[in-house]
């Protein structure tokens, strides 16, 4: 009987790794959120978890959400644009699962509800951390479990980012 070494990583280890990587990226880009996100996507692309084209599409989604959170931004219009891009990605034949998770987090960053008068209201955090943490989570998850780990890590990172967004307030 031959034993194969197995890597076991606990939740505290993953939490520490995500926090450390988030701090490093933030320090490297000195508060430029778009540049931070671009660096995260470049890392995922270099690891062949997403294509360069997907990285550009995801960066576009991030910019759309970022602009929507600005004081003169239009969250409702941005939500529908983001949802349209995500729908095209879902219908694509070769879209990577990691790209789909990050795009789904971009859609999920918007809070869509019925307003008091029955109309649709859409809000988004001033600076959404969902997509960034999804990207970081995907990168770390892929180190542990390849593309499947990347998908799971991306989903978990996106959920954590959504919680952060909710605590920071929305426009």
């Amino acid at each position: 009987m031959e034993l194969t070494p197995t890597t076991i990583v606990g939740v505290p280890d993953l939490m520490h790794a995500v926090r450390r990587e988030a701090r490093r990226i933030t320090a490297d880009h000195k508060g430029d959120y778009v540049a931070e996100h671009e660096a995260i996507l470049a890392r995922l692309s270099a690891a062949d978890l997403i294509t360069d084209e997907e990285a550009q599409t995801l960066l576009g989604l991030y910019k759309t959400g970022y602009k929507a959170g600005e004081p003169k931004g239009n969250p409702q219009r941005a939500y529908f644009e983001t949802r349209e891009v995500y729908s095209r990605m879902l219908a694509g034949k070769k879209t990577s699962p990691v790209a789909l998770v990050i795009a789904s987090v971009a859609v999920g960053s918007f809070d869509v509800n019925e307003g008091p008068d029955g109309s649709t209201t859409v809000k988004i955090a001033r600076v959404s951390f969902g997509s960034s943490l999804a990207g970081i989570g995907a990168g770390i998850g892929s180190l542990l479990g390849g593309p499947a780990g990347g998908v799971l890590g991306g989903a978990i990172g996106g959920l954590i980012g959504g919680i952060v967004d909710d605590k920071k307030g929305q426009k």
Side-chain angles (χ1 to χ4, degrees), residues 19-167:
R19 278 195 295 264
R20 184 173 183 206
E21 184 64 4
R23 284 186 200 118
R24 184 193 67 75
I25 290 169
T26 300
D28 286 353
H29 295 90
K30 298 174 179 46
D32 184 339
Y33 296 112
V34 175
E36 289 174 10
H37 200 67
E38 193 169 24
I40 293 165
L41 295 172
R43 188 168 173 183
L44 294 174
S45 181
D48 291 327
L49 294 169
I50 62 174
T51 66
D52 291 339
E53 183 180 334
E54 289 168 340
Q56 290 306 309
T57 299
L58 294 170
L59 183 60
L61 289 177
Y62 183 78
K63 287 178 179 179
T64 298
Y66 184 80
K67 289 176 187 172
E70 292 289 310
K72 293 186 179 186
N74 185 333
Q76 186 165 349
R77 182 177 22 191
Y79 166 73
F80 287 110
E81 289 174 17
T82 300
R83 197 173 79 178
E84 177 62 29
V85 171
Y86 177 57
S87 294
R88 283 196 310 267
M89 291 176 75
L90 278 171
K93 293 183 179 185
K94 294 187 179 183
T95 307
S96 79
V98 172
L100 288 174
V101 165
I102 296 170
S104 73
V105 170
V107 174
S109 294
F110 292 91
D111 187 18
V112 181
N113 291 294
E114 183 177 346
D117 61 354
S119 65
T120 301
T121 63
V122 181
K123 296 179 182 180
I124 190 167
R126 171 73 172 82
V127 175
S128 178
F129 289 92
S131 293
S132 294
L133 290 179
I136 292 170
I140 291 171
S142 68
L143 295 174
L144 302 172
V151 169
L152 181 60
I156 292 169
L159 290 171
I160 293 167
I163 292 167
V164 171
D165 290 349
D166 204 40
K167 290 192 177 290

